[in-house]
Amino acid sequence: MTTTATRTSPRKRKSNGLRPQIDADEIGLDALVGHAGYAVRRFQIWIFQDFIRTLSEVDIRPTQYSVLTVIGANPGLSQMAVAKRLGIERARLVHLLDSLEQRKLVKRIKSKADRRSHALHLTAQGETALAKFKRLAAEHERHVEDKIGKANRERLLQILAGFS
Amino acid sequence: MTTTATRTSPRKRKSNGLRPQIDADEIGLDALVGHAGYAVRRFQIWIFQDFIRTLSEVDIRPTQYSVLTVIGANPGLSQMAVAKRLGIERARLVHLLDSLEQRKLVKRIKSKADRRSHALHLTAQGETALAKFKRLAAEHERHVEDKIGKANRERLLQILAGFS
DNA sequence: TATTGTTATACTCTATAACTATA
DNA sequence: TATAGTTATAGAGTATAACAATA
């Protein structure tokens, strides 16, 4: 156990005199490098930031996009069904839908079969909007390709297919 | 545009009579399937939950582990340096360190070179504790291997190496 | 003037619990 | 009694802004 670390340290140009004053790129991550979770978290943050930036003109965030997409592909679903499918808390989905309903993208229709539940549908406006969101999301996806490479992106999707 | 979706739908045993009442596994994800971000997010949630569960006996969460690991490998770092390296807001790091300092794992030492900044060190107790955390984190990492396979985990680390 | 650590505020997200109206 | 949707609360986590001490 030494007191000064940074294993490979090239000991760069020092600004003042004594003590570390290490630049960010000189700092070793140690055990973190071997953890899939760390890399995955950093990557996920990058992806979400790019998604938000790419869809900023339409003000749609990843979770909102996932809700719209699932409702679009499965009209008539209940809130519980959407929440379960996407791993969102049903309490949280209420607020997400409030916002999407205010924006006239989604409507809640009282189910006749079970009067406790709502059947979720896109509005006509929601359908056309979603088509645009999908085009922008595809653009975001190309940014991912540019970042890690086309082949790597596909390998990644294969490896993680079980988690969708 | 049909009103009932779920493309491949095997049309399972229905409970009552009319309308969807679709099971979670019958719900199609549509465009989401092609998005790396969606798979990565779901995987990251799974990883963090397993990490938290595996380290629950020592009550250490992923971010706390990353802070301890970086300080352990680079004693004397300032808070700014740690925050930058890990991509944590410096305001947030303050609270993280407050908690780790209360638990006697970390100490802040006033720097003589720059009296604005604190040099961060593990306590003796922090050193031994971190060794245990690392053993548990390695156990968690084996859970990841069990989940996606040893080769896939390594491929993943290679693909995402640039994000550490 | 700029930077370090700090405090504070706001908004997102997760995790619960409890309430209501139905079933 | 159980479930769907709702409301409310508490804790992480992210994003800012502002302040004091120091550079």
Side-chain angles (χ1 to χ4, degrees):
Chain A
M1 251 168 246
T2 59
T3 59
T4 53
T6 330
R7 296 85 26 96
T8 54
S9 52
R11 197 99 317 168
K12 291 223 196 111
R13 10 82 218 183
K14 281 280 118 62
S15 43
N16 49 10
L18 29 164
R19 291 298 137 189
Q21 224 67 357
I22 301 170
D23 288 353
D25 57 311
E26 293 186 47
I27 300 174
L29 286 175
D30 193 47
L32 247 37
V33 175
H35 287 300
Y38 182 70
V40 168
R41 169 176 162 261
R42 300 293 301 235
F43 182 47
Q44 200 244 298
I45 289 168
W46 184 90
I47 286 199
F48 268 44
Q49 282 174 348
D50 184 85
F51 187 99
I52 292 165
R53 204 181 317 122
T54 308
L55 278 83
S56 62
E57 57 174 287
V58 292
D59 190 27
I60 286 290
R61 300 168 60 82
T63 311
Q64 295 175 311
Y65 177 76
S66 70
V67 169
L68 290 172
T69 303
V70 164
I71 296 175
N74 311 271
L77 283 187
S78 69
Q79 297 187 193
M80 272 305 293
V82 171
K84 264 190 202 155
R85 186 63 188 87
L86 291 175
I88 300 171
E89 281 298 318
R90 74 190 200 278
R92 168 145 176 65
L93 184 61
V94 170
H95 300 299
L96 285 166
L97 288 174
D98 286 349
S99 142
L100 294 174
E101 205 169 26
Q102 272 170 29
R103 291 172 64 179
K104 308 282 185 203
L105 300 175
V106 165
K107 52 182 183 293
R108 291 187 247 222
I109 298 175
K110 294 212 170 182
S111 166
K112 291 175 184 175
D114 182 343
R115 293 172 55 211
R116 292 170 304 182
S117 70
H118 296 157
L120 300 173
H121 293 270
L122 297 183
T123 62
Q125 192 180 331
E127 299 266 14
T128 48
L130 179 55
K132 175 164 194 183
F133 303 162
K134 283 184 180 175
R135 282 196 299 277
L136 289 166
E139 190 182 320
H140 151 72
E141 208 59 33
R142 285 192 292 277
H143 300 167
V144 176
E145 271 188 6
D146 293 346
K147 187 73 177 176
I148 65 174
K150 190 171 170 128
N152 279 339
R153 179 181 158 279
E154 267 156 33
R155 238 170 271 153
L156 200 84
L157 280 172
Q158 277 169 13
I159 293 173
L160 302 183
F163 289 91
S164 345
Chain B
M1 250 166 248
T2 58
T3 59
T4 53
T6 333
R7 297 81 30 95
T8 55
S9 54
R11 197 97 318 166
K12 291 223 196 109
R13 11 83 217 183
K14 282 278 122 62
S15 45
N16 48 12
L18 30 163
R19 290 301 135 186
Q21 224 67 357
I22 302 169
D23 289 353
D25 57 311
E26 294 186 48
I27 302 174
L29 286 176
D30 191 48
L32 248 37
V33 175
H35 287 300
Y38 182 71
V40 167
R41 169 175 163 261
R42 299 293 300 236
F43 183 48
Q44 199 245 299
I45 290 169
W46 184 91
I47 286 199
F48 268 44
Q49 282 174 349
D50 185 85
F51 188 99
I52 292 166
R53 205 182 314 124
T54 308
L55 278 84
S56 62
E57 56 173 288
V58 292
D59 190 26
I60 287 290
R61 298 169 63 83
T63 311
Q64 295 175 310
Y65 178 76
S66 70
V67 169
L68 291 171
T69 302
V70 164
I71 296 176
N74 310 274
L77 284 187
S78 69
Q79 298 186 191
M80 271 305 293
V82 171
K84 262 190 204 156
R85 186 62 186 88
L86 291 175
I88 299 170
E89 281 298 318
R90 73 189 200 279
R92 167 147 177 64
L93 185 60
V94 171
H95 300 297
L96 284 166
L97 288 173
D98 286 349
S99 142
L100 294 173
E101 206 169 26
Q102 273 170 28
R103 291 172 64 177
K104 308 283 186 203
L105 299 175
V106 165
K107 52 181 184 295
R108 290 187 247 222
I109 298 175
K110 294 212 171 183
S111 165
K112 290 173 186 177
D114 183 340
R115 294 172 56 212
R116 290 170 305 181
S117 70
H118 295 156
L120 299 173
H121 293 270
L122 297 183
T123 62
Q125 191 180 330
E127 298 266 14
T128 48
L130 180 54
K132 176 164 194 182
F133 303 162
K134 282 182 179 175
R135 283 195 300 277
L136 288 167
E139 190 182 320
H140 151 72
E141 208 60 33
R142 285 192 293 276
H143 298 166
V144 177
E145 272 188 6
D146 293 347
K147 187 72 178 178
I148 66 174
K150 191 173 171 127
N152 278 339
R153 178 182 158 279
E154 268 155 32
R155 238 169 272 154
L156 200 83
L157 280 171
Q158 279 170 12
I159 294 172
L160 302 184
F163 290 91
S164 346

